[in-house]
Amino acid sequence: MLQAQLTIDPAHRVAPVRRRTFGTFVEHLGRCVYTGIYEPGHPTVDEEGFRGDVLALTRELGVTTVRYPGGNFVSGYRWEDGVGPRERRPRRLDLAWHSTETNEIGLDEFVRWSRLAGLEPMMAVNLGTRGVQEAVDLLEYCNIPSGTALSDLRIANGAKEPHDIRMWCLGNEMDGPWQIGHKTAREYGRLAAETARAMRMVDPGLELVACGSSGSSMPTFGAWEATVLEETYDLVDHISCHAYYEEKDGDLGGFLACATDMEHFISTVVSTADQVGARLGSRKKISVSFDEWNVWYMSRVQAAAPRQDWPVAPPLLEDHYHLADAVAFGSLLITLLRHSDRVAAACLAQLVNVIAPIMTEPGGRAWRQTTFHPFAQAARHAKGDVVRVEPVCPTYGTAEFGEVPVLHAVATQDDADTTLFVVNRSTAEPLELELDAGPLGAGGGAVRIAEATTLTDEDMYARNTADDPDRVVPRPNTSHRSDPLRIVLPPVSWNVIRLSRA
């Protein structure tokens, strides 16, 4: 059995837990919208056509914000197509996903669904095929109370009160050659700056996100951020990061360490932003909006034959996640929390059916994928302040990341609880973790493990399905009962440990 020690010291506070860390993403892609959040005629449907079972699972998941409408989709999207009477809305080709978009769901329906789910909407504007005027028009429609052509159009369409959307993404992945309207960093930076300047003329209090790199492996990574921020630094609040990970060539150990890349990604973007700020003589700090992240088996998509037809809401990117995926996913969540001083928001991409924690059958059941559980537990238990912890533990070698620690962890603490989120990356051995909570107990009595749960399975590739939705779920871990500060963590496991004073 492996051995590890971990000290929790409130002096190592990082920042308050940011509720926007637990955001999600709804894109017009595959079955995310149609037969995902919206399916007229479903047994659980409400009067607007929204699936009640998906709404209930969304609330249980604990997401706080939702980004919309894309994603690659937004770079060809005309928002006007999705407002007004449904019978007058045009059907359009969606070039990004080679589908037909019916526009049954648009801006106003999305905002109503967000409010039903208790989520803050986060809107992306099209800077691929459109520009400054269209972004300002969309903002006027959304946020001006009344008295203008577009605000009055919103009221006529049934939305009397303004949507008051505060956070806006200036395009999507404009560094990617796959993107409709792909631009160089200088071209995009100039357009983003002009768009931001005009939007702030309408509403100075907006939070604006500039497009960063679509991944740390992009050939322009680093240089892209530097150039874009040179153009936009005083006009935006955040710069985006996007990252997806998958097991490659059977290298499970390397996959479980994929958060190493996310750590590098965040640190590099922060350093680049700070360097630009220093060069410009600015005291302002740019934050990171990690508004797309997940486990995604992208290699399967790249290997598939191109579509020749234009179907409505075809099944696309419907990855079925197993235990190891959930553990790697949990490690990514730990990384986002560890960087709460600079990561202001994050969006799990996506919410339903498309590389998602929630799956549905058209007309039928909905269930929780394995990745649902780490997210829901972190959203529920991460409160107060983030506390950085650095376990003393064995390491193991990986082809991509070199030597990595077998244990990955973060703590959060409020007046009532201290909670540890811990991943055991070992593929073969359990790990006995000894906790040192000395500073927590100073003047307040002994500290003990009050409760612990573990997400694991004998089969590292076990999945949840509609027929067996609870195969992989968090279960009580009682191995600490013989010693209140020692606990055994199984191999390939996600663990939540709550500490309290005896």
Side-chain angles (χ1 to χ4, degrees), residues 418-502:
T418 297
T419 303
L420 274 169
F421 304 96
V422 187
V423 159
N424 179 5
R425 293 166 166 161
S426 172
T427 60
E429 294 189 66
L431 181 147
E432 184 181 61
L433 175 61
E434 179 183 356
L435 301 176
D436 178 0
L440 302 180
V447 174
R448 64 179 179 83
I449 297 173
E451 181 183 21
T453 62
T454 294
L455 185 76
T456 193
D457 194 278
E458 292 181 359
D459 179 1
M460 292 179 287
Y461 296 100
R463 293 176 168 84
N464 296 337
T465 64
D467 292 327
D468 191 3
D470 296 323
R471 166 67 188 268
V472 182
V473 297
R475 304 185 193 280
N477 183 332
T478 59
S479 62
H480 59 88
R481 289 184 177 172
S482 60
D483 187 327
L485 286 175
R486 289 179 187 268
I487 187 168
V488 176
L489 311 179
V492 190
S493 64
W494 156 267
N495 305 271
V496 180
I497 304 166
R498 186 172 64 84
L499 301 177
S500 67
R501 290 186 173 89

Side-chain angles (χ1 to χ4, degrees), residues 182-421:
H182 163 59
K183 294 170 175 59
T184 67
R186 190 66 65 187
E187 290 167 343
Y188 167 72
R190 290 289 300 276
L191 176 58
E194 293 307 317
T195 304
R197 189 173 289 110
M199 291 178 75
R200 290 201 186 280
M201 290 177 182
V202 177
D203 190 340
L206 299 176
E207 288 185 60
L208 301 179
V209 185
C211 285
S213 292
S214 305
S216 63
S217 61
M218 293 295 291
T220 55
F221 175 52
W224 174 274
E225 282 77 5
T227 301
V228 167
L229 287 175
E230 284 171 4
E231 298 286 347
T232 63
Y233 200 91
D234 290 330
L235 295 164
V236 302
D237 304 281
H238 317 290
I239 189 159
S240 70
C241 296
H242 292 179
Y244 297 99
Y245 302 96
E246 64 180 297
E247 181 182 346
K248 299 174 182 176
D249 302 321
D251 182 9
L252 179 58
F255 172 51
L256 294 173
C258 64
T260 307
D261 176 78
M262 182 185 265
E263 295 261 4
H264 164 74
F265 197 167
I266 295 169
S267 297
T268 303
V269 169
V270 166
S271 296
T272 302
D274 288 349
Q275 183 183 47
V276 173
R279 194 162 65 244
L280 296 174
S282 176
R283 294 179 179 272
K284 174 181 174 180
K285 294 292 185 183
I286 297 290
S287 297
V288 169
S289 176
F290 218 118
D291 46 46
E292 288 189 32
W293 69 273
N294 204 347
V295 172
W296 175 16
Y297 286 83
M298 198 181 301
S299 59
R300 298 172 186 167
V301 180
Q302 294 166 342
R307 302 188 70 95
Q308 301 302 315
D309 56 350
W310 298 87
V312 173
L316 294 174
L317 317 187
E318 297 197 4
D319 285 358
H320 295 272
Y321 294 118
H322 48 62
L323 170 67
D325 293 328
V327 174
F329 177 103
S331 200
L332 298 173
L333 262 175
I334 286 170
T335 299
L336 293 170
L337 286 167
R338 283 167 60 89
H339 289 272
S340 293
D341 55 333
R342 297 300 291 269
V343 176
C347 298
L348 166 62
Q350 295 188 17
L351 178 66
V352 191
N353 291 326
V354 177
I355 54 171
I358 300 169
M359 293 297 295
T360 71
E361 296 173 329
R365 299 167 289 183
W367 67 98
R368 305 164 190 83
Q369 292 230 65
T370 59
T371 54
F372 183 102
H373 299 292
F375 192 102
Q377 288 191 302
R380 183 164 62 251
H381 295 296
K383 300 174 184 176
D385 293 328
V386 177
V387 178
R388 185 177 288 272
V389 295
E390 301 297 346
V392 178
C393 63
T395 62
Y396 68 98
T398 67
E400 187 170 359
F401 307 116
E403 289 290 316
V404 296
V406 73
L407 199 70
H408 194 211
V410 72
T412 64
Q413 186 176 45
D414 64 8
D415 293 337
D417 288 307
T418 297
T419 303
L420 274 169
F421 304 96

Side-chain angles (χ1 to χ4, degrees), residues 49-298:
F50 298 131
R51 284 185 60 148
D53 53 354
V54 172
L55 268 170
L57 286 173
T58 299
R59 296 185 188 112
E60 181 187 337
L61 185 62
V63 290
T64 54
T65 59
V66 55
R67 180 167 170 254
Y68 178 86
N72 295 349
F73 174 81
V74 77
S75 291
Y77 184 52
R78 287 170 270 196
W79 66 268
E80 305 93 330
D81 289 348
V83 300
R86 280 198 172 109
E87 64 272 14
R88 298 181 188 172
R89 297 182 189 181
R91 294 165 67 95
R92 301 279 191 191
L93 296 182
D94 167 22
L95 305 185
W97 301 109
H98 214 277
S99 306
T100 296
E101 174 54 53
T102 67
N103 287 301
E104 288 177 72
I105 291 293
L107 172 60
D108 295 323
E109 291 87 7
F110 162 72
V111 172
R112 287 198 291 274
W113 179 85
S114 300
R115 305 305 187 202
L116 285 171
L119 306 181
E120 175 194 4
M122 176 181 176
M123 186 65 61
V125 301
N126 176 357
L127 294 187
T129 59
R130 309 188 98 181
V132 177
Q133 185 62 60
E134 293 88 351
V136 170
D137 288 348
L138 175 58
L139 177 59
E140 178 186 325
Y141 184 92
C142 287
N143 284 13
I144 297 300
S146 63
T148 68
L150 290 171
S151 62
D152 289 345
L153 177 61
R154 183 198 70 243
I155 293 169
N157 288 336
K160 181 178 179 180
E161 298 300 321
H163 296 323
D164 193 30
I165 297 171
R166 308 315 307 159
M167 196 168 185
W168 295 75
C169 301
L170 301 172
N172 175 76
E173 293 186 355
M174 300 310 299
D175 63 324
W178 58 85
Q179 199 69 213
I180 305 168
H182 163 59
K183 294 170 175 59
T184 67
R186 190 66 65 187
E187 290 167 343
Y188 167 72
R190 290 289 300 276
L191 176 58
E194 293 307 317
T195 304
R197 189 173 289 110
M199 291 178 75
R200 290 201 186 280
M201 290 177 182
V202 177
D203 190 340
L206 299 176
E207 288 185 60
L208 301 179
V209 185
C211 285
S213 292
S214 305
S216 63
S217 61
M218 293 295 291
T220 55
F221 175 52
W224 174 274
E225 282 77 5
T227 301
V228 167
L229 287 175
E230 284 171 4
E231 298 286 347
T232 63
Y233 200 91
D234 290 330
L235 295 164
V236 302
D237 304 281
H238 317 290
I239 189 159
S240 70
C241 296
H242 292 179
Y244 297 99
Y245 302 96
E246 64 180 297
E247 181 182 346
K248 299 174 182 176
D249 302 321
D251 182 9
L252 179 58
F255 172 51
L256 294 173
C258 64
T260 307
D261 176 78
M262 182 185 265
E263 295 261 4
H264 164 74
F265 197 167
I266 295 169
S267 297
T268 303
V269 169
V270 166
S271 296
T272 302
D274 288 349
Q275 183 183 47
V276 173
R279 194 162 65 244
L280 296 174
S282 176
R283 294 179 179 272
K284 174 181 174 180
K285 294 292 185 183
I286 297 290
S287 297
V288 169
S289 176
F290 218 118
D291 46 46
E292 288 189 32
W293 69 273
N294 204 347
V295 172
W296 175 16
Y297 286 83
M298 198 181 301

